[in-house]
Amino acid sequence: MHKYNEEKHLYPPAIQQGLEQIVSRNLAAQKPGRYELDGQMMYALVQEMSTKPAEEQRAESHMTYADIQLLVSGEEKIGFSRLSAELEMADNQLAARDVAYYKHSHDESEIVLKPGMFAVFFPEDVHRPCCHVNGEKHSIKKIVVKVHRDLWG
């Protein structure tokens, strides 16, 4: 995590805790799966997958958990926009899985993650992860730490 130690004081305590769990538990070296960090308050998902064209990925948001998405290997583009009334929900799984998927995302911006980089998405942030970079497919490994809203302070 490039320059994390120099910048960590800028992040809210719950986000700092999530990032520190990634390092202290050496999650980047772990196999894909779910890892409990603080019961249901904070857990990590280690994932390996291939990126897809953005039009094949669904935009999503969460209501209970913030996401810290840290890329371990490969390259990934993530589209993001703010939650708004114009977004039409395609699949509401908020009650069961804390995720809602949208038919289209409006005014989407993009970020490209390279190994060691991370992004944080709060419930107001609609995000479309795991997209191709420059139209190219990449095999990626990433860690998603789910931080419960009760930890945000």
Side-chain angles (χ1 to χ4, degrees):
M1 291 187 296
H2 182 66
K3 294 190 176 189
Y4 170 66
N5 284 331
E6 297 171 23
E7 299 173 349
K8 67 182 175 182
H9 67 281
L10 300 171
Y11 303 115
I15 301 304
Q16 288 181 37
Q17 181 185 355
L19 292 166
E20 289 167 6
Q21 291 282 346
I22 291 171
V23 174
S24 68
R25 293 178 184 246
N26 196 20
L27 290 174
Q30 301 303 317
K31 293 181 180 179
R34 179 178 167 140
Y35 296 85
E36 299 299 327
L37 306 177
D38 185 10
Q40 292 300 309
M41 299 305 282
M42 184 181 298
Y43 62 92
L45 303 170
V46 176
Q47 304 171 330
E48 291 179 352
M49 63 199 72
S50 294
T51 60
K52 296 181 181 178
E55 58 273 8
E56 293 180 18
Q57 294 293 86
R58 297 189 294 178
E60 63 185 61
S61 70
H62 314 285
M63 296 309 297
T64 303
Y65 291 91
D67 279 2
I68 302 170
Q69 297 196 15
L70 181 133
L71 193 66
V72 175
S73 63
E75 287 188 328
E76 171 190 26
K77 181 169 55 176
I78 301 176
F80 68 96
S81 62
R82 298 298 284 179
L83 190 59
S84 69
E86 293 92 37
L87 293 176
E88 185 179 349
M89 197 177 296
D91 188 6
N92 183 345
Q93 296 183 31
L94 289 169
R97 296 183 49 237
D98 191 43
V99 64
Y101 296 103
Y102 300 90
K103 290 185 178 182
H104 304 286
S105 183
H106 297 286
D107 298 321
E108 193 173 85
S109 297
E110 299 173 343
I111 57 173
V112 174
L113 296 183
K114 296 180 187 258
M117 296 174 70
F118 64 91
V120 179
F121 300 102
F122 289 95
E124 299 80 23
D125 301 321
V126 176
H127 49 288
R128 182 189 314 267
C130 303
C131 298
H132 286 351
V133 176
N134 297 324
E136 297 177 18
K137 179 179 176 179
H138 293 270
S139 293
I140 63 171
K141 182 174 184 179
K142 69 188 297 183
I143 300 164
V144 179
V145 175
K146 305 294 258 181
V147 181
H148 195 282
R149 67 181 319 123
D150 289 348
L151 294 176
W152 303 342

